[in-house]
Short mmCIF file of all heavy atoms in Angstrom, two decimals:
data_model
loop_
_atom_site.label_atom_id
_atom_site.label_comp_id
_atom_site.label_asym_id
_atom_site.label_seq_id
_atom_site.Cartn_x
_atom_site.Cartn_y
_atom_site.Cartn_z
N ILE B 1 -15.49 -8.37 -24.55
CA ILE B 1 -14.05 -8.14 -24.45
C ILE B 1 -13.76 -6.88 -23.64
O ILE B 1 -12.89 -6.86 -22.76
CB ILE B 1 -13.41 -8.04 -25.85
CG1 ILE B 1 -13.46 -9.41 -26.55
CG2 ILE B 1 -11.97 -7.53 -25.77
CD1 ILE B 1 -13.04 -9.37 -28.01
N ARG B 2 -14.53 -5.82 -23.91
CA ARG B 2 -14.34 -4.57 -23.17
C ARG B 2 -14.64 -4.76 -21.68
O ARG B 2 -13.95 -4.23 -20.81
CB ARG B 2 -15.21 -3.46 -23.76
CG ARG B 2 -14.80 -3.05 -25.17
CD ARG B 2 -15.57 -1.82 -25.62
NE ARG B 2 -15.30 -1.51 -27.02
CZ ARG B 2 -16.08 -1.85 -28.04
NH1 ARG B 2 -17.23 -2.52 -27.80
NH2 ARG B 2 -15.74 -1.54 -29.28
N GLN B 3 -15.73 -5.53 -21.39
CA GLN B 3 -16.08 -5.79 -20.00
C GLN B 3 -14.97 -6.59 -19.30
O GLN B 3 -14.61 -6.31 -18.14
CB GLN B 3 -17.41 -6.55 -19.93
CG GLN B 3 -18.62 -5.73 -20.35
CD GLN B 3 -19.87 -6.58 -20.47
OE1 GLN B 3 -19.90 -7.73 -20.04
NE2 GLN B 3 -20.91 -6.03 -21.08
N ALA B 4 -14.44 -7.59 -20.00
CA ALA B 4 -13.38 -8.41 -19.42
C ALA B 4 -12.13 -7.57 -19.15
O ALA B 4 -11.48 -7.69 -18.11
CB ALA B 4 -13.05 -9.57 -20.36
N TRP B 5 -11.79 -6.70 -20.13
CA TRP B 5 -10.61 -5.84 -19.97
C TRP B 5 -10.81 -4.87 -18.82
O TRP B 5 -9.89 -4.61 -18.05
CB TRP B 5 -10.34 -5.09 -21.27
CG TRP B 5 -9.18 -4.14 -21.17
CD1 TRP B 5 -7.87 -4.45 -21.19
CD2 TRP B 5 -9.27 -2.72 -21.01
NE1 TRP B 5 -7.11 -3.31 -21.06
CE2 TRP B 5 -7.94 -2.23 -20.94
CE3 TRP B 5 -10.32 -1.81 -20.92
CZ2 TRP B 5 -7.66 -0.88 -20.80
CZ3 TRP B 5 -10.03 -0.47 -20.77
CH2 TRP B 5 -8.71 -0.01 -20.71
N GLU B 6 -12.01 -4.32 -18.70
CA GLU B 6 -12.30 -3.38 -17.61
C GLU B 6 -12.18 -4.08 -16.25
O GLU B 6 -11.66 -3.50 -15.29
CB GLU B 6 -13.70 -2.79 -17.78
CG GLU B 6 -14.08 -1.74 -16.74
CD GLU B 6 -13.23 -0.48 -16.83
OE1 GLU B 6 -12.58 -0.26 -17.88
OE2 GLU B 6 -13.22 0.29 -15.85
N MET B 7 -12.63 -5.34 -16.17
CA MET B 7 -12.50 -6.09 -14.92
C MET B 7 -11.02 -6.28 -14.58
O MET B 7 -10.61 -6.12 -13.42
CB MET B 7 -13.19 -7.45 -15.03
CG MET B 7 -12.97 -8.34 -13.80
SD MET B 7 -13.86 -9.89 -13.87
CE MET B 7 -15.51 -9.34 -13.46
N THR B 8 -10.20 -6.62 -15.59
CA THR B 8 -8.77 -6.79 -15.37
C THR B 8 -8.14 -5.49 -14.88
O THR B 8 -7.34 -5.47 -13.94
CB THR B 8 -8.07 -7.24 -16.66
OG1 THR B 8 -8.62 -8.50 -17.07
CG2 THR B 8 -6.57 -7.39 -16.46
N ARG B 9 -8.52 -4.37 -15.54
CA ARG B 9 -7.97 -3.07 -15.18
C ARG B 9 -8.34 -2.70 -13.74
O ARG B 9 -7.49 -2.22 -12.97
CB ARG B 9 -8.47 -2.01 -16.15
CG ARG B 9 -7.75 -0.67 -16.07
CD ARG B 9 -8.34 0.32 -17.06
NE ARG B 9 -9.70 0.67 -16.73
CZ ARG B 9 -10.04 1.57 -15.82
NH1 ARG B 9 -9.10 2.22 -15.13
NH2 ARG B 9 -11.31 1.85 -15.56
N LEU B 10 -9.60 -2.92 -13.38
CA LEU B 10 -10.03 -2.60 -12.03
C LEU B 10 -9.36 -3.49 -10.99
O LEU B 10 -8.99 -3.02 -9.90
CB LEU B 10 -11.56 -2.73 -11.92
CG LEU B 10 -12.38 -1.69 -12.70
CD1 LEU B 10 -13.86 -2.03 -12.64
CD2 LEU B 10 -12.13 -0.28 -12.16
N GLU B 11 -9.18 -4.76 -11.31
CA GLU B 11 -8.53 -5.69 -10.39
C GLU B 11 -7.06 -5.31 -10.19
O GLU B 11 -6.54 -5.34 -9.07
CB GLU B 11 -8.63 -7.12 -10.92
CG GLU B 11 -7.99 -8.18 -10.02
CD GLU B 11 -8.65 -8.29 -8.66
OE1 GLU B 11 -9.79 -7.81 -8.49
OE2 GLU B 11 -8.02 -8.88 -7.76
N THR B 12 -6.41 -4.91 -11.30
CA THR B 12 -5.02 -4.47 -11.20
C THR B 12 -4.91 -3.22 -10.33
O THR B 12 -4.02 -3.11 -9.49
CB THR B 12 -4.44 -4.19 -12.60
OG1 THR B 12 -4.50 -5.38 -13.38
CG2 THR B 12 -3.00 -3.71 -12.52
N ALA B 13 -5.83 -2.27 -10.55
CA ALA B 13 -5.83 -1.04 -9.76
C ALA B 13 -6.08 -1.34 -8.29
O ALA B 13 -5.46 -0.74 -7.40
CB ALA B 13 -6.88 -0.08 -10.29
N ARG B 14 -6.98 -2.30 -8.03
CA ARG B 14 -7.28 -2.66 -6.64
C ARG B 14 -6.05 -3.26 -5.96
O ARG B 14 -5.73 -2.93 -4.81
CB ARG B 14 -8.43 -3.67 -6.61
CG ARG B 14 -8.92 -3.99 -5.21
CD ARG B 14 -9.85 -5.19 -5.21
NE ARG B 14 -9.16 -6.40 -5.59
CZ ARG B 14 -8.35 -7.10 -4.78
NH1 ARG B 14 -8.15 -6.68 -3.54
NH2 ARG B 14 -7.77 -8.19 -5.19
N LYS B 15 -5.34 -4.14 -6.68
CA LYS B 15 -4.13 -4.74 -6.10
C LYS B 15 -3.04 -3.70 -5.86
O LYS B 15 -2.35 -3.73 -4.85
CB LYS B 15 -3.61 -5.85 -7.03
CG LYS B 15 -4.50 -7.08 -7.08
CD LYS B 15 -3.93 -8.12 -8.01
CE LYS B 15 -4.80 -9.38 -8.04
NZ LYS B 15 -4.28 -10.40 -8.99
N GLN B 16 -2.91 -2.77 -6.82
CA GLN B 16 -1.90 -1.72 -6.65
C GLN B 16 -2.24 -0.83 -5.46
O GLN B 16 -1.35 -0.43 -4.69
CB GLN B 16 -1.80 -0.88 -7.93
CG GLN B 16 -1.18 -1.62 -9.10
CD GLN B 16 -1.22 -0.82 -10.38
OE1 GLN B 16 -1.98 0.15 -10.51
NE2 GLN B 16 -0.43 -1.22 -11.36
N GLU B 17 -3.55 -0.53 -5.31
CA GLU B 17 -3.97 0.30 -4.18
C GLU B 17 -3.72 -0.42 -2.86
O GLU B 17 -3.26 0.17 -1.89
CB GLU B 17 -5.45 0.64 -4.32
CG GLU B 17 -5.98 1.54 -3.21
CD GLU B 17 -7.47 1.83 -3.35
OE1 GLU B 17 -8.05 1.44 -4.37
OE2 GLU B 17 -8.02 2.44 -2.43
N ALA B 18 -4.00 -1.75 -2.84
CA ALA B 18 -3.79 -2.52 -1.62
C ALA B 18 -2.30 -2.59 -1.29
O ALA B 18 -1.91 -2.47 -0.12
CB ALA B 18 -4.35 -3.93 -1.79
N ALA B 19 -1.44 -2.77 -2.32
CA ALA B 19 0.00 -2.83 -2.09
C ALA B 19 0.51 -1.49 -1.58
O ALA B 19 1.35 -1.44 -0.67
CB ALA B 19 0.72 -3.22 -3.38
N LEU B 20 0.00 -0.39 -2.18
CA LEU B 20 0.41 0.94 -1.73
C LEU B 20 -0.02 1.18 -0.29
O LEU B 20 0.74 1.72 0.52
CB LEU B 20 -0.20 2.01 -2.64
CG LEU B 20 0.07 3.47 -2.26
CD1 LEU B 20 1.57 3.75 -2.26
CD2 LEU B 20 -0.65 4.41 -3.21
N ARG B 21 -1.24 0.76 0.03
CA ARG B 21 -1.74 0.94 1.40
C ARG B 21 -0.87 0.16 2.39
O ARG B 21 -0.52 0.66 3.47
CB ARG B 21 -3.19 0.47 1.49
CG ARG B 21 -3.84 0.79 2.84
CD ARG B 21 -5.23 0.21 2.97
NE ARG B 21 -6.09 0.64 1.88
CZ ARG B 21 -6.57 -0.16 0.94
NH1 ARG B 21 -6.25 -1.46 0.95
NH2 ARG B 21 -7.36 0.31 -0.02
N ASN B 22 -0.51 -1.07 2.00
CA ASN B 22 0.34 -1.88 2.88
C ASN B 22 1.70 -1.23 3.08
O ASN B 22 2.24 -1.23 4.20
CB ASN B 22 0.51 -3.29 2.30
CG ASN B 22 -0.74 -4.12 2.41
OD1 ASN B 22 -1.58 -3.86 3.27
ND2 ASN B 22 -0.87 -5.12 1.55
N ARG B 23 2.27 -0.67 1.99
CA ARG B 23 3.58 -0.01 2.11
C ARG B 23 3.49 1.22 3.01
O ARG B 23 4.37 1.46 3.84
CB ARG B 23 4.11 0.38 0.73
CG ARG B 23 4.59 -0.79 -0.11
CD ARG B 23 5.48 -0.31 -1.25
NE ARG B 23 4.78 0.57 -2.15
CZ ARG B 23 4.09 0.17 -3.21
NH1 ARG B 23 4.01 -1.13 -3.49
NH2 ARG B 23 3.49 1.03 -4.01
N LEU B 24 2.42 1.99 2.84
CA LEU B 24 2.24 3.19 3.66
C LEU B 24 2.05 2.83 5.13
O LEU B 24 2.61 3.48 6.02
CB LEU B 24 1.05 4.01 3.17
CG LEU B 24 1.23 4.72 1.82
CD1 LEU B 24 -0.08 5.38 1.39
CD2 LEU B 24 2.33 5.76 1.90
N GLU B 25 1.26 1.78 5.37
CA GLU B 25 1.05 1.35 6.75
C GLU B 25 2.35 0.88 7.37
O GLU B 25 2.64 1.18 8.54
CB GLU B 25 -0.01 0.24 6.80
CG GLU B 25 -1.43 0.72 6.50
CD GLU B 25 -2.42 -0.42 6.42
OE1 GLU B 25 -1.98 -1.60 6.48
OE2 GLU B 25 -3.63 -0.15 6.30
N GLN B 26 3.16 0.15 6.59
CA GLN B 26 4.43 -0.34 7.10
C GLN B 26 5.37 0.83 7.39
O GLN B 26 6.09 0.84 8.39
CB GLN B 26 5.08 -1.30 6.10
CG GLN B 26 6.36 -1.96 6.62
CD GLN B 26 6.12 -2.75 7.89
OE1 GLN B 26 5.20 -3.55 7.98
NE2 GLN B 26 6.96 -2.50 8.91
N LYS B 27 5.37 1.83 6.49
CA LYS B 27 6.21 3.00 6.70
C LYS B 27 5.79 3.76 7.96
O LYS B 27 6.63 4.28 8.69
CB LYS B 27 6.17 3.92 5.48
CG LYS B 27 6.99 3.40 4.30
CD LYS B 27 7.01 4.41 3.17
CE LYS B 27 7.84 3.89 2.01
NZ LYS B 27 9.27 3.74 2.39
N MET B 28 4.48 3.82 8.20
CA MET B 28 3.99 4.50 9.42
C MET B 28 4.45 3.74 10.66
O MET B 28 4.89 4.35 11.65
CB MET B 28 2.47 4.60 9.39
CG MET B 28 1.94 5.60 8.36
SD MET B 28 0.13 5.63 8.29
CE MET B 28 -0.25 6.26 9.94
N VAL B 29 4.36 2.41 10.60
CA VAL B 29 4.82 1.60 11.74
C VAL B 29 6.32 1.79 11.95
O VAL B 29 6.79 2.00 13.08
CB VAL B 29 4.50 0.11 11.50
CG1 VAL B 29 5.18 -0.76 12.56
CG2 VAL B 29 3.00 -0.13 11.51
N ASP B 30 7.08 1.75 10.84
CA ASP B 30 8.53 1.93 10.93
C ASP B 30 8.87 3.31 11.48
O ASP B 30 9.79 3.46 12.29
CB ASP B 30 9.19 1.75 9.56
CG ASP B 30 9.17 0.29 9.11
OD1 ASP B 30 8.92 -0.57 9.97
OD2 ASP B 30 9.40 0.04 7.92
N ALA B 31 8.12 4.34 11.00
CA ALA B 31 8.40 5.70 11.46
C ALA B 31 8.17 5.82 12.96
O ALA B 31 8.97 6.44 13.68
CB ALA B 31 7.52 6.69 10.70
N GLU B 32 7.08 5.22 13.45
CA GLU B 32 6.79 5.28 14.88
C GLU B 32 7.88 4.56 15.68
O GLU B 32 8.33 5.02 16.73
CB GLU B 32 5.42 4.66 15.16
CG GLU B 32 4.26 5.50 14.64
CD GLU B 32 2.92 4.80 14.83
OE1 GLU B 32 2.92 3.67 15.36
OE2 GLU B 32 1.89 5.37 14.44
N ARG B 33 8.30 3.40 15.16
CA ARG B 33 9.33 2.63 15.86
C ARG B 33 10.66 3.38 15.85
O ARG B 33 11.40 3.39 16.84
CB ARG B 33 9.48 1.26 15.22
CG ARG B 33 8.24 0.40 15.36
CD ARG B 33 8.32 -0.85 14.52
NE ARG B 33 9.19 -1.87 15.11
CZ ARG B 33 9.40 -3.06 14.55
NH1 ARG B 33 8.82 -3.36 13.40
NH2 ARG B 33 10.19 -3.92 15.12
N LEU B 34 10.96 4.02 14.71
CA LEU B 34 12.21 4.78 14.61
C LEU B 34 12.20 5.98 15.54
O LEU B 34 13.22 6.33 16.14
CB LEU B 34 12.44 5.23 13.17
CG LEU B 34 12.89 4.13 12.20
CD1 LEU B 34 12.88 4.65 10.77
CD2 LEU B 34 14.26 3.61 12.56
N MET B 35 11.03 6.64 15.65
CA MET B 35 10.93 7.76 16.57
C MET B 35 11.17 7.31 18.00
O MET B 35 11.91 7.95 18.76
CB MET B 35 9.55 8.43 16.45
CG MET B 35 9.36 9.25 15.17
SD MET B 35 7.69 9.91 15.03
CE MET B 35 7.65 11.00 16.46
N SER B 36 10.56 6.18 18.37
CA SER B 36 10.76 5.66 19.72
C SER B 36 12.21 5.27 19.94
O SER B 36 12.81 5.58 20.97
CB SER B 36 9.86 4.43 19.95
OG SER B 36 8.50 4.78 19.82
N LEU B 37 12.78 4.60 18.94
CA LEU B 37 14.16 4.17 19.05
C LEU B 37 15.10 5.37 19.09
O LEU B 37 16.12 5.37 19.79
CB LEU B 37 14.54 3.25 17.88
CG LEU B 37 15.88 2.55 17.98
CD1 LEU B 37 15.97 1.73 19.25
CD2 LEU B 37 16.11 1.68 16.77
N GLY B 38 14.75 6.42 18.33
CA GLY B 38 15.56 7.63 18.35
C GLY B 38 15.61 8.25 19.73
O GLY B 38 16.67 8.67 20.20
N THR B 39 14.45 8.29 20.39
CA THR B 39 14.40 8.84 21.75
C THR B 39 15.23 8.00 22.71
O THR B 39 16.02 8.52 23.51
CB THR B 39 12.94 8.89 22.24
OG1 THR B 39 12.16 9.66 21.32
CG2 THR B 39 12.85 9.49 23.63
N ILE B 40 15.08 6.67 22.59
CA ILE B 40 15.86 5.77 23.46
C ILE B 40 17.35 5.92 23.18
O ILE B 40 18.17 5.98 24.09
CB ILE B 40 15.41 4.31 23.23
CG1 ILE B 40 13.96 4.12 23.70
CG2 ILE B 40 16.33 3.35 23.96
CD1 ILE B 40 13.36 2.79 23.30
N SER B 41 17.70 6.00 21.88
CA SER B 41 19.11 6.08 21.50
C SER B 41 19.76 7.34 22.03
O SER B 41 20.92 7.32 22.46
CB SER B 41 19.24 6.04 19.97
OG SER B 41 18.74 4.84 19.45
N THR B 42 19.02 8.45 21.99
CA THR B 42 19.56 9.70 22.52
C THR B 42 19.87 9.56 24.01
O THR B 42 20.93 9.99 24.48
CB THR B 42 18.56 10.85 22.31
OG1 THR B 42 18.28 10.96 20.92
CG2 THR B 42 19.12 12.16 22.80
N GLY B 43 18.97 8.92 24.74
CA GLY B 43 19.20 8.69 26.17
C GLY B 43 20.39 7.78 26.40
O GLY B 43 21.23 8.02 27.28
#
């Protein structure tokens, strides 16, 4: 039971880490696009 629970806990942590990584990557992409768009918009 403890082994099964530990597997669940690790899998949940892995999914949360992957979701966080995806959000951070998306924010980085958005930030780069916004910076580019900001430069264009100023012009």
Side-chain angles (χ1 to χ4, degrees):
I1 291 172
R2 293 188 187 98
Q3 291 171 12
W5 177 77
E6 183 66 18
M7 175 176 283
T8 299
R9 192 181 66 81
L10 291 174
E11 180 63 17
T12 300
R14 186 192 66 78
K15 290 180 179 178
Q16 290 174 343
E17 182 182 354
L20 177 60
R21 187 185 305 112
N22 288 336
R23 287 197 299 271
L24 289 175
E25 289 174 354
Q26 185 59 49
K27 284 185 179 295
M28 289 177 65
V29 170
D30 289 345
E32 290 175 0
R33 295 170 76 179
L34 285 171
M35 287 176 64
S36 299
L37 189 56
T39 303
I40 294 170
S41 298
T42 303

